[in-house]
Amino acid sequence: PARLPELRAPCIMAVPMECHCLGPAEIPQTTKLYATFLEDFGRLAEFYSHPPTEEGLLRAARAVPPDAEKRRAVAELLREQNRTLGADGETESNIARLAAGAVAVVTGQQVGLFTGPAYSIYKALTALRIAQQLTERGTDAVPVFWLAAEDHDLAEVNHCDWPGREGLAQLEISPADAAGKARSVGRVQLGEGILPLVERAAAQLEGPMAEEIGAA
C-alpha cells in the first residue's frame, strides 16, 4: 500500500502537458458497455450492485465481508514485498490497518520505463484519494497498487514519451542495456546504459518537486 502524497503547488513547464477533459464515450475504442456504466448507470443498474459514485463506493466498502485469515495472509505477503523495496513507516502502518480490517482500494498497471504512461500516476493518485475519502467517512481504507511484472514483452514497455522544454521526446532502453530479455520484465536487470536516460529525463524536470523526483 502506498501513502498519500503531500499536496504542493503544480509544476510549471515551458511546454506544459496538454490537459483535456473527455467523457468516456469520447475516448477511442471505449466500449458501449463501459460508457453506459459511467454515464447512464440506470440502464445497467439491474446487473450491478453499486453505481460508480462516491456513495456507491461507500456502500460497496461497507459490504466487504470480513475474513481475518485471508487478511493476515495478504498482509504478510505485502509486508515482505514492501520491506524488500524499502517501505517506510506509513506503508507499514497501512499494511497493519489492512490486516486489522481496513478495506483495500485496488488498482495497478503494467510496469514500464519511468512508470510508463501518465495515467499510471493518475490511477495511483485516484486510489489514494478514494481511500482517504472512505476513511474520512468512517470506513477505514488503504490504497493498494499492484505491478503487472510478469509480462515477457519487453519491447512493449522499454520506452516512453517524456515531456520536456521542446516537446515530447521518446526515451528507450536499447536491447544491450536489458539483460535477461527472455524473462518476465519484472526480472529484467537494467545495465549502466540506463543512466544516461535517467540523467536526460531528470534534466527535463521543472517545478518545485523537480529535484525530489529526479533523485527518486
Side-chain angles (χ1 to χ4, degrees), residues 71-83 95:
R71 284 179 177 278
R72 282 195 296 269
V74 171
E76 283 304 312
L77 287 172
L78 288 174
R79 192 172 286 113
E80 179 181 350
Q81 291 175 350
N82 280 272
R83 284 177 177 173
I95 295 172

Side-chain angles (χ1 to χ4, degrees), residues 9-90:
C11 295
I12 300 175
M13 300 181 64
V15 183
M17 180 184 296
E18 291 188 17
C19 298
H20 302 276
C21 183
L22 300 176
E26 299 177 80
I27 301 174
Q29 302 183 24
T30 295
T31 65
K32 184 176 180 180
L33 175 62
Y34 177 67
T36 302
F37 175 76
L38 294 178
E39 295 185 332
D40 193 8
F41 180 77
R43 295 176 57 189
L44 302 173
E46 63 180 298
F47 303 108
Y48 296 92
S49 300
H50 306 286
T53 62
E54 185 175 339
E55 290 299 324
L57 286 169
L58 185 62
R59 291 199 296 270
R62 290 173 175 171
V64 173
D67 190 329
E69 183 176 351
K70 183 177 296 184
R71 284 179 177 278
R72 282 195 296 269
V74 171
E76 283 304 312
L77 287 172
L78 288 174
R79 192 172 286 113
E80 179 181 350
Q81 291 175 350
N82 280 272
R83 284 177 177 173
T84 300
L85 297 172
D88 60 12
E90 291 188 57

